[in-house]
Amino acid sequence: ETPPSWPMDVRDKDGVYIVRYKIQSVLPRFDKDAYRAIIAEGLGMWSHVCGIEFIEDDASGWGGIEFGLYPQPQPGGVLADCVVAWDRGPNSNSRMTGREWLPLRIDAAERWSNAQNPSVNAVDPVRVIAHEGGHGMGISHIDEGNLMSPMYSVKIKGPQIGDMRQATARYGEPRARR
């Protein structure tokens, strides 16, 4: 069993891990409400497959994932990045406390299109945010055919079998909230 990357004390009374996020910068192509909905959809995919929930909240004193921009001069490079949440093992004094803000940066230069079937030269931000959110959960890149594959694919919208195994190994099965 893989230990969760977020500490046990970010769990609610039902045992669901609550990971907060805040938005520092909005992708220029979207207004703030549309971008909020995109983030909620991308991160929310994980709540359906494991015991984690993401909520927008930067005032509680807890950390989480901080959305910003990754400026590049032109499209075609790195779509986005997020620090992989860590647990450095039982002999390490360096563990996440739940108060850190992990940067998730999205490349503003890409041609973003919030579409179920984006065109060949467009990138769906929901897929990218879901992938980067997986890193924020502590999941590294895994095999092709999964959301957490290192390469973006319009064929994969959400967590696949390999992704689900990684997520449930860390955070358990999804739980109903009371």
Side-chain angles (χ1 to χ4, degrees):
E1 182 176 310
T2 304
S5 295
W6 288 93
M8 301 290 263
D9 55 350
V10 302
R11 293 181 303 166
D12 69 3
K13 63 182 175 17
D14 298 318
V16 175
Y17 287 82
I18 305 296
V19 177
R20 288 151 175 78
Y21 65 90
K22 64 182 176 180
I23 302 169
Q24 290 297 104
S25 304
V26 175
L27 274 175
R29 186 170 173 90
F30 305 100
D31 66 36
K32 190 158 187 170
D33 289 337
Y35 193 51
R36 272 192 167 111
I38 288 166
I39 291 170
E41 182 181 352
L43 295 178
M45 291 179 186
W46 292 107
S47 300
H48 297 291
V49 300
C50 70
I52 197 166
E53 184 176 335
F54 294 91
I55 59 171
E56 185 177 358
D57 170 23
D58 64 351
S60 67
W62 286 95
I65 297 173
E66 179 178 63
F67 282 82
L69 298 178
Y70 185 69
Q72 293 194 63
Q74 60 190 22
V78 174
L79 298 176
D81 67 9
C82 183
V83 174
V84 175
W86 66 93
D87 178 347
R88 297 190 179 173
N91 299 322
S92 174
N93 292 328
S94 179
R95 292 177 184 258
M96 289 192 65
T97 65
R99 298 197 189 282
E100 298 89 347
W101 285 101
L102 302 178
L104 189 156
R105 302 175 304 166
I106 299 179
D107 178 10
E110 294 298 328
R111 185 161 174 251
W112 297 100
S113 174
N114 186 16
Q116 186 66 25
N117 296 306
S119 66
V120 171
N121 57 353
V123 181
D124 177 21
V126 173
R127 288 171 170 86
V128 172
I129 287 169
H131 173 93
E132 296 304 332
H135 288 319
M137 293 169 53
I139 303 172
S140 297
H141 287 142
I142 59 176
D143 299 333
E144 242 180 88
N146 288 287
L147 178 65
M148 296 307 298
S149 167
M151 299 303 295
Y152 171 81
S153 171
V154 296
K155 295 178 183 175
I156 299 171
K157 176 99 179 187
Q160 305 297 304
I161 297 293
D163 305 306
M164 291 181 222
R165 285 188 186 126
Q166 291 285 323
T168 57
R170 287 169 174 75
Y171 300 100
E173 296 293 328
R175 295 175 191 90
R177 302 284 315 251
R178 295 177 199 180

